[in-house]
Amino acid sequence: MAGPIAGLGYYEKSARTSFGVFSSVLKARFRIVSRYKGALLMELFMPIVFAALPILLGVSIASGGVDVGQNWKDTTGTADFKAYMLIGSSTFMVVMLMTWLVGFWLRREMVSGTLESVWVSPAKKYLIIGGVTGYALIRAFVAFVLSFVLGSFVFGINLFQGNMLMAAMFILVGLLPLWGISFMFGALILRIKEADSIINLLQWVLSFFMGVFFPITVLPGFLRLIAQSFPPTWMTNGVRAALLDVSFFFETWYLDLAMILVFAAVFPLMGYGIFIATERRMKKTQGMGMY
Amino acid sequence: MAQAIIKVENLSKTFISKERKKFLRPKKRTIEALKDVDLTIYDGEIFGLLGPNGAGKTTLIKCLTTLLIPSGGAAWVNGFDLLKEENMVRASLGCMLMGERGLYWKLTGRENLDYFGALYHVPKEKRVERITYLKELLKMGEFIDRTVETYSSGQKMIMAFAKSLINNAPILFLDEPTVTMDVHAARDLRRIVKQLNKEGHTIVYTTHQMYEAEELCDRVAIIDKGEIIALGTPTELKKSLNVKDAIELEGAIPKGVVQIIKEMPGVIEAAIKEEKRGTTTLGIMCENSRIILPKLMEVLLENEVQIEYIKPMDATLEDVFIVKTGRALSVDTAELAKEKDRGAGGLD
């Protein structure tokens, strides 16, 4: 590489300025969302409303004389179906936030015209998307904790049951493969230039395979296999197993956690590879600014 | 002799476009947006890229700013290979490509500048210093601390211009920077562009305003249908016409008259420059206006042209475009704008 003919202005590539890219993107996302306060408030209530439907259904069936708790325990390992549902809907929200936020970010940048401004900068794409997914990750984790606490209060669930530290570990490690999934989702948005229809479809597919409201053991063999190849299913089950009397998939927590770590090693690399390949394709065909 | 800071060799770009007709399968069509373009821009010059929308100007800029990968050819920017050293090419550029659309409306101007400065790996302390300098230079005043959504169009353009300067890049790509500015703001911006150029920045400037190009640019390239059809200093280009005189005529001109004028002996080229509310402005390039004027008046009266004014003019860059293409740049651009208004290229 020959040196620049006319210098590079104020461009100074270093670990500090690279971290500056990541942190500036992250801060900018928080700044922007802080100017839409209503959206943040709604996010807290979403998993509670989402969990309320099956919980209320269960309560109404129970009031008909059937021992819902016992039936539920036979299938899942825990009688606390309310906590089961709330954990399911809260982890589901984490998954959706991670994918939605990245997808909507790309789509909004495309439409508003800022995507080209960002793409024309020398910042590495993994730092930019890292900043966005980092923001999504923090927002999703905080929303999980807050909505779980609020939901426990609303539905009368004992907040301090099970191993909370282990549950937090399953969420934090489980967020890593989600990072990769969000890259893949971003690539899909770049390719088809639409976010709403994918999200509408994906949220039902995801909730089904994650076992948001039911244990995936009730699924037929091949569907269970698909569900278990999806990292959030392991995260959801890990949190439930840590807090309730639900079994780990491999019977021991460390093997389940190891499995998520394998996903965490593979999915981000795979997702980033797919994203970069899609970006290159876009630049060969119509450019990044087309929407 | 200054060094070549941008060098383009045989650069081409083809797009596959799909033509949709009701329920039929879309028909694929290959569009050659750039056809083997060769171009050298020297360190420290203000280089104008002129051409109507759709001529390939934007495609060339997008290729040179790494937003598009060319289909063929090679290019070097600031000594870096466009395809192999993309990031260093980007580090060499300050870009104002999307006008006011390249900003975050929910962030303040200062926050926008800080954000984009970070994306250009400008250290925090330099960003703070640079923002203070740009606030002064562009007379941004208190609006720098308001969210962009509250800005007027002119203020948004100034902020977009400031954004392109945040990294103090050696090369600036300015795509129609004065388009929504009022006369005073546009004049100020041109003054700053000249100042930046004096400080050593190379500037690639696109515009539809011929007087801007004539006022600012050391050299200009006129692009049409993916090819550079003229390249040189504004004076060289005007001289190359071998046109001694140009005549501008405004009035109600019936259809077919332009063709009759074109066929008159002594007329080199004639084209409509502007059409507004039934009034047409016509540019006529000729060998000698004194000889041709009486004959021209005869033709105009015979064809019932209602003349509002007729006057001899000095040849302009617009006339260069007319002679080279047989069309006027301003009309081409206005027609494309109308097409856009009819829905093409709008939000889905």
Side-chain angles (χ1 to χ4, degrees):
Chain A
M1 185 181 80
I5 291 171
L8 291 169
Y10 289 164
Y11 173 83
E12 277 180 37
K13 196 169 180 195
S14 64
R16 193 173 146 240
T17 57
S18 294
F19 180 74
V21 173
F22 171 83
S23 63
S24 287
V25 174
L26 192 122
K27 266 191 269 175
R29 297 327 308 163
F30 276 111
R31 270 198 187 119
I32 291 169
V33 79
S34 71
R35 285 157 199 179
Y36 294 100
K37 292 187 177 63
L40 286 175
L41 194 68
M42 289 300 117
E43 216 163 83
L44 284 183
F45 292 102
M46 201 176 78
I48 298 167
V49 173
F50 200 58
L53 304 172
I55 289 174
L56 294 174
L57 180 72
V59 170
S60 59
I61 292 170
S63 64
V66 181
D67 189 349
V68 173
Q70 191 52 50
N71 282 351
W72 189 257
K73 190 173 182 175
D74 292 345
T75 322
T76 62
T78 176
D80 192 351
F81 70 92
K82 289 180 188 175
Y84 191 95
M85 299 296 175
L86 188 64
I87 293 169
S89 62
S90 297
T91 48
F92 175 64
M93 191 195 60
V94 169
V95 176
M96 291 316 288
L97 273 179
M98 282 289 286
T99 44
W100 278 353
L101 290 178
V102 174
F104 276 133
W105 166 75
L106 260 174
R107 183 74 190 132
R108 250 182 229 149
E109 301 256 338
M110 272 179 184
V111 176
S112 66
T114 43
L115 192 66
E116 282 198 347
S117 295
V118 170
W119 244 247
V120 84
S121 77
K124 291 277 184 196
K125 301 300 166 290
Y126 65 82
L127 291 173
I128 297 169
I129 305 167
V132 177
T133 45
Y135 145 77
L137 203 132
I138 294 170
R139 202 172 140 184
F141 185 72
V142 171
F144 175 88
V145 173
L146 291 178
S147 65
F148 189 66
V149 171
L150 196 62
S152 299
F153 178 72
V154 171
F155 298 117
I157 295 163
N158 176 15
L159 193 61
F160 303 101
Q161 56 184 319
N163 188 339
M164 292 183 74
L165 204 66
M166 190 189 286
M169 191 166 62
F170 267 94
I171 290 182
L172 288 173
V173 178
L175 285 170
L176 297 174
L178 280 180
W179 213 354
I181 292 171
S182 69
F183 286 152
M184 291 181 211
F185 188 64
L188 196 63
I189 302 283
L190 270 187
R191 184 82 181 87
I192 68 165
K193 305 187 190 316
E194 218 279 315
D196 297 351
S197 60
I198 310 175
I199 286 168
N200 284 340
L201 175 73
L202 269 186
Q203 64 181 353
W204 294 110
V205 175
L206 290 188
S207 67
F208 177 77
F209 283 119
M210 274 176 64
V212 172
F213 296 134
F214 56 85
I216 61 157
T217 47
V218 299
L219 291 174
F222 73 101
L223 284 180
R224 203 182 315 152
L225 207 69
I226 296 172
Q228 286 189 322
S229 62
F230 189 55
T233 312
W234 291 76
M235 179 173 80
T236 314
N237 193 66
V239 177
R240 279 174 177 154
L243 295 180
L244 310 170
D245 292 326
V246 175
S247 309
F248 288 103
F249 287 139
F250 282 136
E251 302 301 331
T252 50
W253 67 270
Y254 53 86
L255 283 179
D256 273 29
L257 197 66
M259 189 65 192
I260 299 177
L261 282 169
V262 171
F263 283 132
V266 174
F267 271 70
L269 286 176
M270 200 162 75
Y272 188 64
I274 291 171
F275 187 87
I276 290 299
T278 310
E279 181 220 5
R280 210 159 170 78
R281 188 193 151 95
M282 300 303 299
K283 283 165 72 173
K284 273 188 180 167
T285 53
Q286 44 193 296
M288 300 300 293
M290 297 289 279
Y291 55 90
Chain B
M1 176 91 177
Q3 266 188 293
I5 201 159
I6 296 176
K7 194 164 173 53
V8 177
E9 283 179 3
N10 298 319
L11 204 76
S12 64
K13 180 70 197 171
T14 50
F15 292 108
I16 306 291
S17 120
K18 284 180 183 171
E19 283 178 10
R20 294 172 198 277
K21 282 182 186 166
K22 288 187 176 170
F23 302 111
L24 297 174
R25 253 180 97 170
K27 221 175 168 182
K28 284 186 179 175
R29 196 161 64 94
T30 306
I31 298 166
E32 279 186 276
L34 290 177
K35 297 172 191 166
D36 296 326
V37 170
D38 284 307
L39 182 67
T40 304
I41 298 174
Y42 296 102
D43 188 14
E45 73 176 339
I46 303 184
F47 190 88
L49 270 178
L50 309 180
N53 288 334
K57 189 173 37 119
T58 306
T59 306
L60 178 60
I61 289 175
K62 285 195 172 178
C63 285
L64 292 177
T65 53
T66 76
L67 286 169
L68 270 176
I69 297 174
S71 311
W76 294 265
V77 175
N78 199 19
F80 299 111
D81 188 308
L82 188 71
L83 297 174
K84 293 177 189 152
E85 296 159 294
E86 273 188 339
N87 257 13
M88 295 317 290
V89 168
R90 291 186 199 120
S92 308
L93 306 176
C95 298
M96 181 181 176
L97 304 181
M98 302 286 295
E100 58 184 63
R101 291 189 69 234
L103 299 165
Y104 291 93
W105 289 25
K106 279 283 175 190
L107 295 181
T108 66
R110 193 185 294 276
E111 287 165 351
N112 264 287
L113 293 177
D114 186 65
Y115 174 80
F116 283 106
L119 294 193
Y120 279 86
H121 288 267
V122 179
K124 179 75 187 168
E125 58 280 9
K126 275 197 181 158
R127 293 202 304 263
V128 174
E129 205 179 278
R130 186 72 174 163
I131 291 168
T132 310
Y133 168 74
L134 291 174
K135 187 185 167 193
E136 286 294 307
L137 181 75
L138 301 174
K139 296 180 188 135
M140 288 192 275
E142 53 75 39
F143 78 79
I144 195 171
D145 290 311
R146 280 198 275 125
T147 51
V148 172
E149 63 192 341
T150 64
Y151 289 10
S152 67
S153 278
Q155 287 172 330
K156 282 176 192 155
M157 287 302 274
I158 289 170
M159 188 51 69
F161 183 47
K163 188 193 79 179
S164 72
L165 303 178
I166 189 69
N167 55 330
N168 196 23
I171 305 167
L172 291 174
F173 275 88
L174 306 177
D175 191 7
E176 303 202 29
T178 56
V179 76
T180 57
M181 285 182 184
D182 62 39
V183 179
H184 297 295
R187 197 186 301 143
D188 274 351
L189 186 133
R190 285 197 294 274
R191 181 183 51 77
I192 293 163
V193 167
K194 282 182 200 163
Q195 186 186 323
L196 290 167
N197 179 245
K198 272 186 189 157
E199 287 168 12
H201 295 271
T202 304
I203 291 153
V204 182
Y205 196 98
T206 74
T207 180
H208 290 128
Q209 312 284 355
M210 292 301 121
Y211 66 88
E212 271 200 333
E214 295 205 45
E215 182 192 331
L216 282 177
C217 301
D218 299 311
R219 288 192 308 142
V220 295
I222 299 178
I223 302 184
D224 189 42
K225 293 175 183 163
E227 290 175 292
I228 291 181
I229 55 169
L231 176 68
T233 65
T235 315
E236 278 169 1
L237 289 180
K238 284 186 279 185
K239 272 189 186 167
S240 74
L241 292 180
N242 289 325
V243 171
K244 288 199 176 121
D245 284 324
I247 297 169
E248 194 173 86
L249 157 71
E250 195 172 293
I253 303 171
K255 275 184 184 170
V257 176
V258 178
Q259 191 55 39
I260 295 169
I261 295 171
K262 273 185 181 184
E263 287 163 7
M264 281 175 65
V267 170
I268 294 166
E269 191 55 82
I272 293 168
K273 284 182 168 177
E274 197 178 20
E275 279 182 313
K276 231 187 240 174
R277 289 181 227 106
T279 303
T280 305
T281 308
L282 190 67
I284 303 164
M285 264 58 66
C286 55
E287 286 159 4
N288 190 326
S289 64
R290 288 183 186 184
I291 294 172
I292 209 164
L293 210 53
K295 288 181 199 165
L296 181 66
M297 290 303 289
E298 262 175 49
V299 170
L300 295 174
L301 292 171
E302 267 171 31
N303 289 282
E304 295 171 352
V305 173
Q306 293 169 21
I307 305 165
E308 285 182 19
Y309 75 78
I310 183 163
K311 60 179 179 186
M313 307 271 289
D314 289 329
T316 63
L317 284 176
E318 173 93 46
D319 298 325
V320 176
F321 188 78
I322 290 171
V323 169
K324 298 278 180 187
T325 65
R327 306 176 334 263
L329 183 59
S330 45
V331 172
D332 261 27
T333 304
E335 272 173 14
L336 216 113
K338 271 185 211 163
E339 263 177 44
K340 274 193 175 171
D341 286 345
R342 283 196 292 270
L347 281 170
D348 50 6

